[in-house]
Amino acid sequence: MEVQFRLNGKQVTVEAGGDTILLDVLRNLGCRSVKCGCETTNCGLCTVWIDGKSRLSCSVLAASVEGCEITTLEGVEKEAAAFGAFLADEGAEQCGFCSPGFIMNVLAMFRELKNPSVDEIKEYLSGNLCRCTGYMGQLRAIQKYMQSSQAAKTLEDKESSMEVSA
């Protein structure tokens, strides 16, 4: 069957069988950040956004994304690189195999939750497995990124209000 959707802002059409999973379609389209880890929805390596929400592409049939907007790490490269620098600074990227799915989920969390607590962060990211880091470096990177993002937002807001009053 023919399936049409937007992938990272571009319209695509693919041929997919009724049992074809989105993970396989995305990999075939060159989205190498979407990885196959467990195929049982337990690791988070295949995390993508479907219409802005984090989803595990190993559990989504390709036919079900007709007309949807799919975003992979390739579609948010600048934002991902900014957060990735914080991961690297904390030594939390290690082998990097889990990083794409983890970063996609972290960025989705920032869009969804305002100033999440440590417990909220842990809960939100509980489906992302990493066998290298022990998670503490990742948590520090998230907190530092949040602080940096909030500082940048405050500065932007001040600059905007100064332009309006001028």
Side-chain angles (χ1 to χ4, degrees), residues 7 14 31 40 46:
L7 176 60
V14 297
C31 297
T40 59
C46 65

Side-chain angles (χ1 to χ4, degrees), residues 124-154:
Y124 198 97
L125 301 174
S126 64
N128 290 90
L129 298 182
C130 176
R131 290 175 174 84
C132 299
T133 67
Y135 301 106
M136 292 313 296
Q138 291 174 334
L139 186 57
R140 284 191 308 271
I142 290 168
Q143 291 171 314
K144 288 179 179 180
Y145 180 76
M146 281 177 21
Q147 291 168 351
S148 173
S149 297
Q150 288 168 351
K153 174 93 172 92
T154 300

Side-chain angles (χ1 to χ4, degrees), residues 61-90:
L61 290 175
S64 72
V65 300
E66 176 72 34
C68 293
E69 175 73 36
I70 311 298
T71 306
T72 68
L73 193 70
E74 290 85 356
V76 290
E77 284 186 65
K78 288 181 184 176
E79 200 174 353
F83 176 66
F86 283 85
L87 280 176
D89 287 347
E90 292 301 320

Side-chain angles (χ1 to χ4, degrees), residues 1 3 15-21 61-63:
M1 81 183 68
V3 181
E15 254 329 289
D19 61 348
T20 303
I21 58 173
L61 290 175

Side-chain angles (χ1 to χ4, degrees), residues 7-150:
L7 176 60
N8 299 323
K10 296 178 182 160
Q11 190 67 34
V12 297
T13 302
V14 297
E15 254 329 289
D19 61 348
T20 303
I21 58 173
L22 182 59
L23 165 72
D24 293 336
V25 168
L26 295 174
R27 298 249 337 143
N28 288 338
L29 288 170
C31 297
R32 298 294 181 221
S33 69
V34 184
K35 297 179 182 171
C36 180
C38 67
E39 295 181 285
T40 59
T41 70
N42 288 307
C43 70
L45 291 176
C46 65
T47 301
V48 299
W49 300 342
I50 301 176
D51 294 333
K53 298 284 185 189
S54 281
R55 296 283 306 273
L56 300 172
S57 62
C58 74
S59 68
V60 175
L61 290 175
S64 72
V65 300
E66 176 72 34
C68 293
E69 175 73 36
I70 311 298
T71 306
T72 68
L73 193 70
E74 290 85 356
V76 290
E77 284 186 65
K78 288 181 184 176
E79 200 174 353
F83 176 66
F86 283 85
L87 280 176
D89 287 347
E90 292 301 320
E93 82 284 6
Q94 300 290 313
C95 80
F97 192 67
C98 69
S99 294
F102 178 74
I103 290 171
M104 288 299 290
N105 225 10
V106 167
L107 296 178
M109 178 184 68
F110 290 143
R111 285 171 164 74
E112 189 176 322
L113 304 178
K114 302 297 177 213
N115 299 316
S117 68
V118 170
D119 287 338
E120 287 174 315
I121 293 169
K122 288 178 179 178
E123 175 66 26
Y124 198 97
L125 301 174
S126 64
N128 290 90
L129 298 182
C130 176
R131 290 175 174 84
C132 299
T133 67
Y135 301 106
M136 292 313 296
Q138 291 174 334
L139 186 57
R140 284 191 308 271
I142 290 168
Q143 291 171 314
K144 288 179 179 180
Y145 180 76
M146 281 177 21
Q147 291 168 351
S148 173
S149 297
Q150 288 168 351

